């Protein structure tokens, strides 16, 4: 059986950033990455909105706040060093109601507590100078927000780690794990391996890795599909950069927004609906195992109990395009249904506990030989190098104690 110092499962941006940081710090490490797909970054990383998040939204002191702020700086440095195109274009958060205006002030304060500078509340006429078609009473300008292609970032990370002799095994699915005293045995659909340290960055399947280790499962991944439209090319002028609503503080999604992508396209969305398949990008996709895992989880019913009204509305809006257009018109009244064409979709891995709490912060589970990234939703792409640095430090510590 082939032996490694470290085996890492999952070649999304969190796994690749971890490998990148590890090989920078300890290039002699014998590292193997196992990925079930035939390419890297096929799931959350390859289907996200490509925003470099500023860190304004997250609770001060949370892992999201700390890693987003540190990861932001690390991401820009990585892109500069590797000639990856990005743009710090800033974004506007639009307050449409008086309630929103109050929350805008709170958001600004939160951003400042997280270390952001240059945040500015704009009057309607000031906001119109940047986004002439946007509706608002007031708006918050966030200068740090940027746009990027995270697939390109992932590819550059991969180039570096392959140059350091890391093995990438594609089309290999982790099926079983045996956590021994000194080593972990990895059983895949085609081969068995042994490693001193095992790391899992499995995104939509992170809870299943925990289950493989026979740990009592307190968290399950509930997949939510984000469905997007694109503005037709001749209507892209309606959005200069990024336009977001004031988010609902009780819900871990940002609400329907507009994002100018690094490709020049303008994305509008998402509808966030329960996905019946963890990697199901179409409305009709379903998978019996994934459905069973969702519908047999007590926490799921608690989520429904808490959020059923929002859930029903999101489904309604997913089916009824005019309702989706209504949501967009709150931000840009000039938009009409004929300005939109179908865009892509992405499935978000949302961890949920038994009580139906949607876990907002990043979450890791660890034992002597194992590190598992259990919840890494947005802004984990922005934060990836910071998360990767933390995990690589944990790996090095374990290797030294092994
Ligand atoms: C619609 C959407 C928009 C988003 N927008 C943004 C944004 O603008 N900015 C931002 O910072 N973040 C954004 N995010 C969040 C960000 O994309 C994710 O947090 C990040 O990509 C997570 O990376 P990951 O490596 O953990 O997961 P993934 O990219 O999902 O990678 C996990 C990998 O593990 C592999 N895997 C799983 N199980 C196994 C197994 N048993 N064996 C082998 N391989 C396995 C999978 O095939 C996959 O390749 C968005 C997310 C979504 C869904």
């Amino acid at each position: 059986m082939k032996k490694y110092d470290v085996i890492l499962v999952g070649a999304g941006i969190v796994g690749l950033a971890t490998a990148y940081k590890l090989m920078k710090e300890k290039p002699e490490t014998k590292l193997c990455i196992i990925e079930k797909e035939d390419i890297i970054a096929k799931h959350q990383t390859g289907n996200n909105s490509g925003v470099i998040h500023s860190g304004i939204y997250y609770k001060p002191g949370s892992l999201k706040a700390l890693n987003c702020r540190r990861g932001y700086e690390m991401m820009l440095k990585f892109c500069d060093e590797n000639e990856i195109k990005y743009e710090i274009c800033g974004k506007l958060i639009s307050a449409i109601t008086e309630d929103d205006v109050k929350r805008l002030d709170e958001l600004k304060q939160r951003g400042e507590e997280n270390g952001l500078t240059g945040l500015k509340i704009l009057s309607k006429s000031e906001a119109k100078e940047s986004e002439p078609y946007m509706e608002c009473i007031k708006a918050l300008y966030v200068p740090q927000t940027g746009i990027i292609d995270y697939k390109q970032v992932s590819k550059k990370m991969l180039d570096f780690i392959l140059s350091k002799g890391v093995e990438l095994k594609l089309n290999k699915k982790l099926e079983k794990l045996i956590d021994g005293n000194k080593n972990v045995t990895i059983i895949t659909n085609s081969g068995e391996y042994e490693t001193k340290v095992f790391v899992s960055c499995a995104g939509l399947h992170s809870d299943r890795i925990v289950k493989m280790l026979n740990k009592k499962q307190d968290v399950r991944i509930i997949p939510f599909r984000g469905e997007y439209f694109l503005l037709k090319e001749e209507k892209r002028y309606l959005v200069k950069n990024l336009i977001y609503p004031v988010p609902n503080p009780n819900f871990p999604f940002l609400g329907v927004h507009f994002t100018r992508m690094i490709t020049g396209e303008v994305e509008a969305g998402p509808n966030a609906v329960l996905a019946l398949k963890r990697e199901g990008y179409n409305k009709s996709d379903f998978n019996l195992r994934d459905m069973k895992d969702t519908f047999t989880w007590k926490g799921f019913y608690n989520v429904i109990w808490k959020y059923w009204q929002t859930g029903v509305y999101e489904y309604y809006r997913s089916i009824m395009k005019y309702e989706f257009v209504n949501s967009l018109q709150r931000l840009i009244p000039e938009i009409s249904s004929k300005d939109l064409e179908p865009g892509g979709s992405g499935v978000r891995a949302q961890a949920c506990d038994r009580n139906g709490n949607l876990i907002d912060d990043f979450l890791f589970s660890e034992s002597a030989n194992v590190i598992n990234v259990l919840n890494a939703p947005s802004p984990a792409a922005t934060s990836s190098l910071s998360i990767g640095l933390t995990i690589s430090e944990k790996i090095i510590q374990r290797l030294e104690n092994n």
Side-chain angles (χ1 to χ4, degrees), residues 71-90:
Y72 177 97
E73 299 299 338
M74 292 166 84
M75 184 58 69
L76 299 198
K77 184 162 176 276
F78 180 82
C79 292
D80 290 339
E81 285 169 0
N82 289 282
E83 296 175 353
I84 298 171
K85 189 178 161 196
Y86 68 91
E87 213 183 311
I88 302 301
C89 51

Side-chain angles (χ1 to χ4, degrees), residues 190-250:
S190 59
E192 292 187 22
Y193 309 92
E194 203 171 87
T195 181
K196 292 177 189 162
V197 180
F198 171 75
V199 181
S200 157
C201 302
L204 285 149
H205 300 277
S206 62
D207 55 340
R208 290 180 174 159
I209 310 283
V210 174
K211 212 169 168 190
M212 284 179 200
L213 290 165
N214 293 326
K215 293 237 173 78
K216 187 175 161 271
Q217 213 186 1
D218 291 319
V219 166
R220 188 154 298 181
I221 294 297
I222 307 286
F224 285 95
R225 190 175 52 255
E227 301 167 337
Y228 293 88
F229 282 90
L230 291 173
L231 285 194
K232 286 188 178 159
E233 198 172 344
E234 63 273 21
K235 288 289 174 173
R236 287 183 191 162
Y237 70 88
L238 291 172
V239 176
K240 304 292 172 223
N241 291 305
L242 287 83
I243 301 178
Y244 280 59
V246 176
N248 175 347
N250 303 316

Side-chain angles (χ1 to χ4, degrees), residues 9-15 34-37 41-53 150 172-175 201-205 209 212 226 228 279 345-348 376-383:
V9 163
I13 199 165
V14 174
I34 289 178
E35 168 55 55
K36 67 180 166 57
E37 304 294 348
K42 186 163 181 179
H43 293 297
Q44 295 179 94
T45 302
N47 295 295
N48 68 26
S49 305
V51 177
I52 310 174
H53 284 294
Y150 286 113
K172 229 177 238 301
K173 184 175 180 193
L174 172 71
E175 292 186 333
C201 302
L204 285 149
H205 300 277
I209 310 283
M212 284 179 200
Y228 293 88
E279 288 154 1
S345 68
V347 184
R348 171 188 171 124
S378 186
T382 308
S383 316

